[in-house]
Amino acid sequence: MSTRIGKYLALAIVAFLLMQVKTVFAQISLKASVDRNQVYLLDRITYELTIEGSVSNLPEPRLSDFEGFQLLSGPSTSTQISMVNGRFTSKVINTYIFKTIKEGKWVLGPVSVNYKGKTFNSNPVVIDVVKLTVSGSATSGSQSDIESVIPLNKLDDVFLWATVDKTDPYQGQPVFVTYDIYTRVPIAGYNIVQYPSFSGFWAEEVQLPNTPTQYKKRLHGVEYTVATIYKTALYPTVSGELTIDPLMAVFKIRASSRDPFFDDFFQQPFGGFPRSSMLPFAQEIQRSSQALSINIKPLPVTGKPANFTGAVGTFKLIASLDKSTVKVGEAIVLKARLAGNHSLKTLPPPELQSMDSFKTFEPKTGEVTLFDENPEWNVREFDFVFVPHESGEFEIPPLSYNYFDPDEGMYKSIQTDTMHVNVEPGLVSNSMIAIPGEKGNIELLNYDMHYIKTSLPIKSYIQPYTSKWFFVALLIPVIFVPAVLLYGRHQKRMTGDAAYARAFKARTESQRRFNSAVQALEESKLNKALDEIAKGFLGYLGNKFNLSTSGLTFHQIREQFVVRELDKDMISKLNDYWYLLDTLRFAPGEPDVKTLESMLNQAKELVKILENIKLKRKKGWKLSR
């Protein structure tokens, strides 16, 4: 028995000694490789470092700075463990992404690791970085112009670039500024955090699609995905050298696969809020566009009409009468349409000469819409109302409009044709004037008096205060007069205060959008449902704070909440929902039904919570109880 125990003990000692010898002579190998050995300047390479050995805990490598390269991401690691014929082997693959920043031949490595006092080295890797030369025949004229404007040293994986359609416009001439994102990495969303001040300009934001339109463009041999994220029309109010400040935006960069072009721009998220670890976001980066300098030319003094109102561009004026035969006291409406390559919002109506035989009223101004004859032009309608107070044949003088044509560098004047109207004697006196009111109703003005009625029956005298209804009647003015006054005040604010009107209708409009989203879900129109959810939620916030919903950013909304001291947890909750909504909107594929139903319910809940928050002028927001 003792002999058998002694044998087992001896075998155990031998096995232990063999394990120690194996540990002492354990070998570790390092192998470095790249996806290509010749690359262009500002291109990217994938560097893999494989560490393999017969130990369980392989040492971690420490990379020093590689000259001529910039580390973009890494390491991302994968581990393999195998046991063959009792032999244990462990392998760890470390992957790094580098960008080339200098021309020349460069050596990556060797990379070293230390294990139990011994140093192990990888093989060095030689990379040849060359500058791409693009021949004139390789690109079109417009592409060459772009490459000459965007210098090679400004290129990055993600950058913002601002362009203007004119660099030396006249004062008052519209200038369109476009901000484009150029990216070589997948982007899940963006947030504009700082807008230019546009000092010296009157600015009007241009409406853009909810999902940016994307296209490919090569710059200096490098392919980028390009999308416009903001566009505005500027109208210079002064002359001289003006500077447009940079626009600043934060972009959410998605962690890409080893091949950066394998992932689509604005690709489909995996679900959950962007801040969640369930989403493969690598980082948030901030980018700014370059500042722009524009030389604004003053309008010439020579030939300037005395009644010039500042219109600069190309314009067209059309006018017509609603009727050519009327009676005395009956209103005539002259409808004028002013169209042009201008916003038109800052321009006054055309000029109508006074007419002795007519009473004239201030023109009614309509909304600015797109011109049906030219989609790049706007048009605005003006209704001139005038009422004849004598009969006869009359000429309506032409409407005229003066403007400056920047293409020809001269002042011009346009006018309508002379129109004629036949006024017949009317049954009403000159003291009675009928003009079109709201929604086509007729209003009588200057009606002198009513005749006195002498034949009214006189009832016997009674004592009204003896009846209970007398006291009830006394309470009616007390109740209804304040109600009528409040309603009148409300109606006045609805027509005269755009911010109040938008805030008042915000909940109703958002509910209409949400109902439309429900219908779209029932019809399996998922993209339409997402669009309606976004319009309902973003439109509610825009209406609530009187902000434009086009290009609306959470930075703008956060500012509104912060000054009103909204609870930080609520702001964070809104921020999370905002980013998730952006992520779904900018994804190329269709979201699933469950995600959209969840997004819709969250939007309804957030709107409901915000509706229960009352605003106080000085103390900020307070939850109503």
Side-chain angles (χ1 to χ4, degrees):
M1 183 69 178
S2 59
T3 304
R4 181 178 297 177
I5 293 174
K7 287 182 180 180
Y8 285 138
L9 181 60
L11 288 173
I13 293 173
V14 171
F16 175 77
L17 292 175
L18 288 175
M19 290 178 62
Q20 296 301 313
V21 170
K22 180 179 180 180
T23 302
V24 171
F25 291 99
Q27 291 295 317
I28 295 177
S29 63
L30 281 76
K31 180 182 179 182
S33 62
V34 291
D35 57 343
R36 47 202 163 139
N37 293 93
Q38 185 178 56
V39 294
Y40 293 116
L41 183 64
L42 300 179
D43 209 344
R44 291 183 293 177
I45 64 166
T46 302
Y47 176 85
E48 279 191 356
L49 180 65
T50 303
I51 306 175
E52 187 172 4
S54 56
V55 296
S56 58
N57 296 320
L58 290 172
E60 295 182 1
R62 292 185 178 181
L63 270 66
S64 58
D65 292 337
F66 292 151
E67 186 178 359
F69 297 86
Q70 176 187 348
L71 179 62
L72 296 179
S73 64
S76 59
T77 61
S78 63
T79 303
Q80 300 176 8
I81 298 175
S82 62
M83 181 75 73
V84 180
N85 297 327
R87 183 182 177 186
F88 175 86
T89 303
S90 176
K91 179 192 292 185
V92 177
I93 302 175
N94 298 273
T95 304
Y96 305 82
I97 305 296
F98 288 95
K99 184 172 85 170
T100 60
I101 56 177
K102 291 183 181 179
E103 295 178 66
K105 285 194 175 183
W106 306 100
V107 179
L108 300 183
V111 178
S112 302
V113 296
N114 292 315
Y115 184 76
K116 294 187 179 298
K118 189 174 181 179
T119 301
F120 300 90
N121 297 318
S122 71
N123 56 299
V125 178
V126 179
I127 303 291
D128 187 13
V129 181
V130 298
K131 181 178 179 180
L132 178 65
T133 301
V134 182
S135 64
S137 60
T139 58
S140 65
S142 59
Q143 178 70 20
S144 300
D145 292 340
I146 295 172
E147 291 185 343
S148 64
V149 171
I150 304 179
L152 188 62
N153 59 0
K154 293 293 184 183
L155 298 188
D156 201 348
D157 282 336
V158 179
F159 68 92
L160 272 175
W161 196 257
T163 56
V164 292
D165 63 338
K166 308 175 191 70
T167 56
D168 57 346
Y170 284 96
Q171 180 178 336
Q173 183 180 3
V175 178
F176 288 91
V177 185
T178 304
Y179 295 88
D180 294 326
I181 171 182
Y182 287 73
T183 180
R184 300 181 61 212
V185 294
I187 290 181
Y190 68 91
N191 186 20
I192 299 177
V193 297
Q194 180 177 312
Y195 291 85
S197 60
F198 300 126
S199 178
F201 297 92
W202 182 83
E204 182 183 26
E205 184 178 342
V206 177
Q207 296 284 343
L208 295 175
N210 287 333
T211 302
T213 302
Q214 307 160 35
Y215 59 94
K216 300 291 185 181
K217 181 178 290 185
R218 295 189 70 85
L219 297 176
H220 303 284
V222 180
E223 187 177 75
Y224 284 87
T225 299
V226 186
T228 299
I229 64 170
Y230 187 70
K231 186 175 183 179
T232 184
L234 302 180
Y235 296 83
T237 57
V238 296
S239 60
E241 193 78 17
L242 296 181
T243 300
I244 300 175
D245 301 328
L247 178 138
M248 186 181 300
V250 173
F251 297 93
K252 287 186 172 294
I253 307 301
R254 185 184 302 281
S256 63
S257 62
R258 288 178 55 188
D259 181 358
F261 292 103
F262 181 80
D263 297 302
D264 291 332
F265 184 58
F266 294 148
Q267 64 174 207
Q268 176 72 31
F270 293 157
F273 286 100
R275 289 184 175 182
S276 169
S277 60
M278 295 298 291
L279 282 174
F281 290 117
Q283 59 180 327
E284 286 187 357
I285 62 171
Q286 183 172 288
R287 292 290 185 266
S288 297
S289 68
Q290 83 283 14
L292 297 173
S293 181
I294 302 180
N295 179 39
I296 309 300
K297 296 182 293 188
L299 294 174
V301 178
T302 305
K304 184 176 182 180
N307 56 352
F308 177 69
T309 57
V312 180
T314 305
F315 298 89
K316 183 177 183 179
L317 185 59
I318 309 168
S320 63
L321 292 174
D322 65 335
K323 57 180 76 77
S324 58
T325 301
V326 295
K327 297 182 182 297
V328 172
E330 184 180 353
I332 305 171
V333 179
L334 189 157
K335 290 186 174 291
R337 302 181 76 203
L338 178 64
N341 57 351
H342 193 283
S343 166
L344 304 180
K345 292 183 179 180
T346 60
L347 300 182
E351 183 179 355
L352 177 65
Q353 299 177 18
S354 61
M355 298 174 288
D356 295 336
S357 300
F358 297 86
K359 179 178 178 61
T360 59
F361 298 86
E362 287 294 323
K364 180 181 177 181
T365 303
E367 296 293 329
V368 176
T369 58
L370 291 178
F371 191 36
D372 49 4
E373 297 181 14
N374 189 339
E376 296 183 356
W377 282 26
N378 293 316
V379 64
R380 193 169 207 173
E381 291 191 354
F382 302 91
D383 288 350
F384 294 85
V385 179
F386 47 96
V387 180
H389 50 73
E390 60 180 293
S391 59
E393 291 281 344
F394 298 98
E395 283 190 354
I396 306 299
L399 293 172
S400 61
Y401 207 79
N402 297 314
Y403 65 95
F404 180 79
D405 188 336
D407 295 331
E408 298 187 18
M410 60 184 296
Y411 292 95
K412 292 184 177 181
S413 179
I414 52 176
Q415 66 178 22
T416 60
D417 296 330
T418 300
M419 290 168 279
H420 299 81
V421 61
N422 178 33
V423 181
E424 300 175 345
L427 297 177
V428 296
S429 66
N430 290 344
S431 63
M432 299 177 60
I433 299 176
I435 68 168
E438 292 295 330
K439 298 182 180 179
N441 297 325
I442 301 297
E443 300 177 9
L444 291 180
L445 304 178
N446 301 334
Y447 197 97
D448 287 347
M449 63 183 66
H450 293 279
Y451 65 88
I452 299 175
K453 297 181 180 180
T454 59
S455 60
L456 288 176
I458 300 176
K459 295 183 178 180
S460 61
Y461 174 75
I462 60 173
Q463 295 179 341
Y465 51 83
T466 60
S467 171
K468 64 180 179 179
W469 296 110
F470 172 76
F471 296 100
V472 173
L474 290 179
L475 293 176
I476 291 177
V478 177
I479 297 173
F480 285 96
V481 168
V484 171
L485 292 176
L486 288 174
Y487 180 75
R489 182 182 177 187
H490 166 72
Q491 288 296 104
K492 185 176 180 180
R493 290 193 67 184
M494 288 292 290
T495 57
D497 188 345
Y500 176 82
R502 291 186 67 188
F504 184 81
K505 297 178 180 178
R507 178 70 183 272
T508 303
E509 178 63 22
S510 66
Q511 190 59 47
R512 185 180 69 84
R513 291 290 186 182
F514 294 153
N515 292 339
S516 179
V518 171
Q519 183 178 354
L521 284 173
E522 292 175 353
E523 298 172 355
S524 298
K525 297 178 180 179
L526 303 186
N527 281 331
K528 181 181 178 182
L530 176 59
D531 189 53
E532 290 297 323
I533 294 171
K535 288 179 178 178
F537 180 71
L538 302 181
Y540 173 81
L541 295 176
N543 289 332
K544 205 68 177 176
F545 298 110
N546 196 28
L547 298 172
S548 172
T549 55
S550 176
L552 184 66
T553 67
F554 191 75
H555 177 75
Q556 295 172 279
I557 299 300
R558 185 191 292 113
E559 286 182 348
Q560 299 292 332
F561 285 147
V562 170
V563 298
R564 291 164 174 80
E565 299 179 0
L566 185 66
D567 182 70
K568 292 182 178 179
D569 291 337
M570 185 61 190
I571 295 178
S572 177
K573 189 174 182 180
L574 287 165
N575 190 25
D576 288 341
Y577 183 82
W578 185 289
Y579 279 123
L580 178 57
L581 188 61
D582 266 358
T583 302
L584 293 174
R585 287 168 60 203
F586 298 136
E590 278 192 339
D592 59 86
V593 176
K594 290 185 178 180
T595 299
L596 288 179
E597 290 176 347
S598 175
M599 292 295 295
L600 178 60
N601 293 332
Q602 291 180 61
K604 289 181 177 179
E605 182 64 24
L606 290 172
V607 169
K608 181 180 178 181
I609 292 173
L610 291 175
E611 278 296 300
N612 291 329
I613 294 177
K614 292 184 177 179
L615 176 63
K616 293 188 176 182
R617 290 185 178 179
K618 294 183 178 180
K619 294 184 180 181
W621 290 77
K622 186 177 180 180
L623 283 171
S624 60
R625 297 182 181 181

